[in-house]
Amino acid sequence: MKPAKSEVVVITGASAGIGRATAHAFAKQGACIGLLARSREGLEAAQKEVEALGGHALVLPTDVSDPEQVESAAAAVETAFGAIDIWINNAMASILSPFFDIQPEDFRRVTEVTYLGYVYGTMAALKRMKPRNRGAIVQVGSALAYRSIPLQSAYCGAKSAIRGFTDSIRCELLHDNSNIHITMVQMPAVNTPQFGWIKTSMPHQPQPVPPIFQPDVAAEAIVWAAHHQRRELYVGGSTVEAILGTKLAPGLLDRYLAKTGYSSQQTDQPVAPDRPSNLWEPVSHGNYSAHGQFDAQAKDGSLELWVAKNLNWLTLAVGAGVAGIAIGAVLSHRAQQKSSTEDGDQPSESDVRAEVLRQVRQAKGDDRLHLLVGLASLVWKAFNGKPNSEQPSQRFSTEKLKTDG
């Protein structure tokens, strides 16, 4: 039975990765959660974790590419817990392979799970939310919805389709003056178990493109987005850079990714001949957990997410005005550090971010733009002509932001 005043949440792809981490986050708030995925093994383990954290869970083995299974799962959740308040579409499948090496049936499978799974989930959610005129739908997106990369044509195509589909639905809800909120959370590379079981034709083991973030960061963003009226939410500076870079210099990024996109998605470890794949069937005795194998490299916080949650910077701006402010920040910094730069000492990305934040705090109203922080990284790279991998000591922490403020 649903406890009084507990939210009812549905999460697809809940057996591992971002979905499982999101289940943990909602469980800490005492939510009643419908857990959807193909693997009963993974779902039952997630259920135990949810209940240990103070939530309630219903295990619903579901292939989201089948609309009848999704509809049945939605009905079961409402029978057990009552009206669904939040629906989170997260289930995905992918293939790491050049396009011409992918079989048509495999490409179709990725599309049906990753794109149509969201469509069917949204249908099931709206069927129940529209008569009540309330509810929230969160589409777990990706920077790849804006900036495609090589070797993931099926996945990038699906994520782009989700963005177009969601924008269309949002317009319809606005036309109807609906109180239902639909949002998309654009994720960076995340340390999930998927890289141990996605199908690949490449010689080395798949990996997320650095910088890598922990799934707990993604879960925090999803929970926040479900409760706030934000059209889209960008998580991680790399997401902001990818989206802005595509708008400002798409051809340059095409060439950059052509050179780096193959190696950055593979480790040095060769693919084992008996490596499992979950494209068509869930992996038996797989790593069904929230975290993948890249804990040592993964970040446990996002400056951009902190800014979105803690500052009232609601205006999104991309273009010359924003770039001018950010470039002005860089030039101001360089003017103050003229003697050191003449000696060849370049300002760091963190210094530029700090200067941008200082200038934004002095601005008023709509000039306070949360994307300036990510854009500062782009400007730094443009001025210095090379990427900068921040070490943990260089990150802008929440504590430093509060101290500077």
Side-chain angles (χ1 to χ4, degrees):
M1 295 295 292
K2 174 187 174 183
K5 299 183 180 179
S6 292
E7 285 185 322
V8 177
V9 182
V10 174
I11 305 173
T12 71
S15 60
I18 291 175
R20 190 148 171 175
T22 303
H24 295 168
F26 275 107
K28 292 174 184 177
Q29 300 181 357
C32 297
I33 309 170
L35 303 172
L36 278 62
R38 292 177 300 168
S39 171
R40 179 175 288 278
E41 173 191 347
L43 292 176
E44 289 177 347
Q47 179 185 38
K48 292 178 182 177
E49 294 167 354
V50 165
E51 292 173 350
L53 290 168
H56 302 264
L58 180 65
V59 169
L60 295 162
T62 306
D63 186 334
V64 297
S65 69
D66 183 341
E68 292 184 0
Q69 290 189 39
V70 175
E71 172 60 27
S72 295
V77 170
E78 294 213 328
T79 298
F81 296 140
I84 295 169
D85 299 301
I86 299 168
W87 186 290
I88 298 162
N89 286 310
N90 167 71
M92 54 79 64
S94 188
I95 303 171
L96 191 70
S97 175
F99 172 70
F100 50 79
D101 288 341
I102 301 175
Q103 296 300 312
E105 59 271 21
D106 287 348
F107 200 103
R108 182 178 65 248
R109 175 63 179 168
V110 172
T111 304
E112 289 175 347
V113 173
T114 309
Y115 171 49
L116 290 180
Y118 279 51
V119 172
Y120 301 146
T122 303
M123 282 181 175
L126 288 177
K127 178 180 178 180
R128 290 156 176 83
M129 293 177 179
K130 285 201 74 174
R132 298 189 286 264
N133 196 28
R134 63 178 177 84
I137 300 170
V138 181
Q139 316 285 40
V140 178
S142 168
L144 304 186
Y146 287 86
R147 173 64 258 177
S148 294
I149 60 176
L151 303 181
Q152 293 209 53
S153 56
Y155 182 79
C156 291
K159 286 297 182 182
S160 296
I162 292 165
R163 182 167 65 91
F165 160 76
T166 300
D167 288 351
S168 177
I169 298 302
R170 184 184 297 108
C171 292
E172 294 176 9
L173 291 173
L174 289 170
H175 174 269
D176 295 340
N177 295 315
S178 175
N179 290 323
I180 299 167
H181 176 57
I182 188 167
T183 184
M184 194 165 181
V185 182
Q186 309 298 6
M187 298 295 181
V190 181
N191 173 33
T192 70
Q194 67 155 308
F195 299 95
W197 57 43
I198 64 168
K199 187 169 184 176
T200 180
S201 66
M202 304 306 291
H204 295 94
Q205 291 282 7
Q207 71 168 7
V209 179
I212 305 167
F213 291 79
Q214 292 289 24
D216 312 276
V217 178
E220 179 186 355
I222 291 166
V223 172
W224 190 86
H227 297 103
H228 293 80
Q229 297 292 312
R230 183 64 60 85
R231 183 181 186 275
E232 279 192 318
L233 182 63
Y234 300 162
V235 181
S238 53
T239 297
V240 176
E241 291 169 14
I243 293 172
L244 288 178
T246 296
K247 293 178 181 292
L248 298 173
L252 182 63
L253 281 182
D254 288 344
R255 290 172 175 80
Y256 173 77
L257 290 167
K259 292 180 179 179
T260 65
Y262 280 58
S263 59
S264 64
Q265 294 186 76
Q266 299 176 80
T267 69
D268 294 332
Q269 183 180 358
V271 170
D274 59 347
R275 184 182 185 278
S277 164
N278 76 335
L279 182 59
W280 291 96
E281 298 292 339
V283 174
S284 299
H285 309 296
N287 175 25
Y288 288 105
S289 62
H291 289 220
Q293 59 183 308
F294 302 98
D295 278 333
Q297 299 127 277
K299 299 181 179 184
D300 57 7
S302 162
L303 171 62
E304 289 70 24
L305 177 58
W306 187 91
V307 167
K309 292 176 63 177
N310 291 278
L311 297 179
N312 188 28
W313 298 355
L314 301 179
T315 302
L316 172 66
V318 179
V322 176
I325 296 173
I327 292 170
V330 178
L331 294 176
S332 173
H333 179 97
R334 286 192 166 183
Q336 296 169 16
Q337 304 292 332
K338 184 177 179 181
S339 59
S340 62
T341 54
E342 285 176 349
D343 294 333
D345 184 16
Q346 300 286 359
S348 71
E349 184 174 350
S350 346
D351 292 335
V352 176
R353 288 188 181 196
E355 177 63 19
V356 170
L357 283 171
R358 185 187 68 78
Q359 292 203 15
V360 169
R361 286 196 183 98
Q362 295 176 352
K364 297 180 181 179
D366 289 348
D367 289 333
R368 305 181 71 186
L369 306 168
H370 80 280
L371 286 185
L372 282 177
V373 179
L375 187 58
S377 300
L378 279 176
V379 173
W380 182 91
K381 291 174 182 177
F383 269 73
N384 287 274
K386 58 183 179 180
N388 177 34
S389 298
E390 287 186 274
Q391 299 300 318
S393 61
Q394 293 176 297
R395 292 183 203 159
F396 234 67
S397 67
T398 299
E399 291 71 25
K400 179 167 179 57
L401 283 170
K402 290 179 179 177
T403 301
D404 290 349

